[in-house]
Amino acid sequence: MAAPPHAPPQVPPDVFPEVRAGLGRDDGAVIRRSWNEPERFGEIFDAYFAEIHRYVARRLDTDAADDIASETFHAAFRRRTSFEVSRDSARPWLYGIASNLVAKHRRAEARKFRALGRLGDDGVADGHEDRVAAQVSAERVRGRLARAIGDLSADHRDVLLLVVLAGLGYDEVAQALDIPYGTVCSRFSRARRKVREALGGVDPMLVQEGPRNG
């Protein structure tokens, strides 16, 4: 049965294992306790730092990820009293802060995707750009995929990569970017359509074949 038009792609659990890092936690309770016991915020850092760092490295590079991931948690700590402690997970909140920081590097990000695209579908690339392409789609469309992502507007690219690389659901992306759920749906749909058209009709969300859980 085909998935509903606004359902995010089901990513196999072995593709993004870091997505499960915070499951079962009550981040709201931890952050609330950190208001009076600042050292408790270290639990949030331990649970999510590697995930946020990996995400930023995929979008930019490792050096930028070192700085941005650190700045993300410094900002989160400073703003911890503004976090809605009724929420179980801090993931969308942290990704939102990281996305705002990545926004300062928009041009560099687009250049990297386009540079990978210029290698061609059969080109060889080292580093995070190659890993991004391999995770988002099949190896055989790597070059065209990278070009297509680089050509997306910043807003559309944010939504697409938060869903595909970070594994966030649409409601979590809405929280992260502080935009309506419907806007997430429409931006993701448009981004996916533009990338699919650039790939000659190949669906960029097919990260692997076979049965999926969930």
Side-chain angles (χ1 to χ4, degrees):
M1 178 181 296
H6 293 319
Q10 296 296 310
V11 180
D14 57 334
V15 175
F16 301 111
E18 67 271 21
V19 167
R20 302 192 300 279
L23 295 181
R25 299 178 51 83
D26 186 350
D27 294 336
V30 172
I31 292 174
R32 194 175 196 284
R33 287 196 292 271
S34 79
W35 295 353
N36 297 315
E37 303 172 63
E39 66 277 7
R40 296 299 296 269
F41 197 80
E43 297 179 35
I44 302 299
F45 178 93
D46 291 341
Y48 297 109
F49 180 85
E51 176 181 348
I52 295 295
H53 185 280
R54 189 178 299 113
Y55 172 73
V56 177
R58 288 167 176 168
R59 292 191 61 166
L60 297 171
D61 57 47
T62 301
D63 289 340
D66 292 343
D67 293 336
I68 290 176
S70 295
E71 191 173 349
T72 294
F73 284 87
H74 283 138
F77 179 79
R78 293 193 302 269
R79 304 174 194 171
R80 67 191 187 281
T81 57
S82 67
F83 179 74
E84 294 184 25
V85 294
S86 60
R87 293 177 174 170
D88 294 335
S89 176
R91 289 183 74 243
W93 180 57
L94 294 170
Y95 272 105
I97 296 172
S99 294
N100 286 335
L101 294 172
V102 168
K104 299 177 182 179
H105 302 264
R106 295 291 192 202
R107 292 182 180 178
E109 180 184 37
R111 281 198 303 269
K112 285 183 177 294
F113 279 114
R114 289 168 183 160
L116 175 60
R118 286 195 295 272
L119 291 173
D121 297 341
D122 297 322
V124 177
D126 294 322
H128 82 283
E129 298 97 334
D130 190 46
R131 293 194 295 274
V132 167
Q135 286 165 345
V136 177
S137 188
E139 189 76 10
R140 63 190 175 84
V141 296
R142 179 176 61 198
R144 284 177 293 156
L145 174 63
R147 287 195 299 272
I149 293 175
D151 288 339
L152 291 173
S153 70
D155 289 342
H156 287 81
R157 190 162 59 243
D158 273 345
V159 169
L160 180 73
L161 296 183
L162 282 171
V163 171
V164 177
L165 290 186
L168 298 187
Y170 287 3
D171 55 340
E172 293 177 309
V173 176
Q175 291 177 35
L177 301 180
D178 194 23
I179 58 177
Y181 180 92
T183 301
V184 174
C185 294
S186 62
R187 287 182 184 176
F188 183 81
S189 178
R190 290 173 185 171
R192 186 173 184 176
R193 185 178 67 250
K194 289 178 180 178
V195 173
R196 186 167 56 236
E197 289 172 353
L199 299 181
V202 175
D203 190 339
M205 301 302 105
L206 296 178
V207 292
Q208 77 175 41
E209 298 292 337
R212 297 170 176 178
N213 296 333

